[in-house]
Amino acid sequence: MVMAFHLWLVFLVAAMGLAVVPGPNSLLALSHGARYGHRRTLFTICGGVFGFLILIAIAMFGLGAVLQAQPDAMTALQWVGAAYLVWLGIKLWYAPALELTKLAESQIYSPTSLFRQGFFAALSNPKVLLFFTAFLAQFIDPEEALLPQFIVIAITFICVEFLAEYGIACVAHRIRPKLMQSGQRFNQGCGMLFIVLGVSMTLA
């Protein structure tokens, strides 16, 4: 048996709770959903869940413990992640205000660029790796094969995360006219949140 059903239900509820906690990827889904629409934001979301999939794999197969034992590596990853979040924040801060008319092609990011932003946003906080290591340990049975458990846990988490971020993008797209009333302030608010997230990583 890969995972007891009641244990899987507990993990499902926990994953749903984690998915609704504001973070870089949910914020990116909000911003991109408002700017580019929920369909194009699918590329951003797919990049994010792919990044989370890699983090789950690393956590389950032991690198989280290595990072805990090597604080220098942890510190380096933390600074790189913080710098990336601050860079995203600055880009959002100076992004043009939303318009009712269709965005020009020069304003629309390519699917590859959107995917890359979501992917690196997921990987930008190395503390997530340590969190996954501690969190997933509660649901892993060391007496069972690890790979089947990884498949169940990973699929469950990325499905929950995907639906949560897509829901955020859809809501952002629906209330886009209201967001446009605030124009540049919406972009600056999202950008400031990214900058705060990046700076807080270096201070925590």
Side-chain angles (χ1 to χ4, degrees):
M1 189 174 186
V2 176
M3 179 181 287
F5 182 69
H6 74 278
L7 188 61
W8 177 81
L9 284 178
V10 173
F11 176 78
L12 176 63
V13 173
M16 292 171 65
L18 290 175
V20 299
V21 174
N25 284 85
S26 58
L27 183 58
L28 202 60
L30 172 67
S31 175
H32 285 188
R35 290 190 58 79
Y36 310 123
H38 59 91
R39 292 183 180 178
R40 292 190 69 85
T41 306
L42 283 172
F43 294 106
T44 306
I45 297 171
C46 287
V49 296
F50 185 65
F52 282 128
L53 179 63
I54 292 177
L55 288 178
I56 293 173
I58 292 174
M60 289 191 68
F61 292 101
L63 190 54
V66 174
L67 288 178
Q68 284 181 314
Q70 298 291 332
D72 290 340
M74 178 67 182
T75 301
L77 287 174
Q78 184 175 1
W79 278 100
V80 171
Y84 180 74
L85 290 180
V86 171
W87 177 78
L88 276 181
I90 293 173
K91 288 194 66 175
L92 276 173
W93 180 276
Y94 289 105
L98 295 169
E99 299 176 357
L100 281 171
T101 55
K102 184 177 179 181
L103 292 173
E105 285 300 319
S106 60
Q107 294 176 282
I108 299 179
Y109 281 39
S110 68
T112 302
S113 178
L114 295 175
F115 182 93
R116 185 170 58 248
Q117 286 193 53
F119 177 73
F120 283 113
L123 297 180
S124 63
N125 189 349
K127 290 184 179 180
V128 173
L129 180 60
L130 297 182
F131 178 79
F132 273 137
T133 302
F135 175 69
L136 296 178
Q138 312 301 318
F139 302 94
I140 297 175
D141 185 351
E143 297 182 359
E144 297 287 342
L146 190 59
L147 182 58
Q149 294 182 81
F150 164 74
I151 293 174
V152 172
I153 287 175
I155 290 177
T156 301
F157 184 85
I158 64 176
C159 285
V160 170
E161 183 68 24
F162 179 91
L163 292 174
E165 290 187 24
Y166 186 64
I168 292 172
C170 288
V171 170
H173 185 64
R174 285 179 178 274
I175 64 174
R176 179 176 171 173
K178 294 182 179 179
L179 294 176
M180 284 186 294
Q181 293 175 4
S182 59
Q184 193 76 19
R185 285 178 295 178
F186 171 73
N187 292 335
Q188 291 176 344
C190 290
M192 181 58 66
L193 287 175
F194 268 111
I195 294 172
V196 170
L197 284 172
V199 173
S200 66
M201 286 173 55
T202 65
L203 299 178

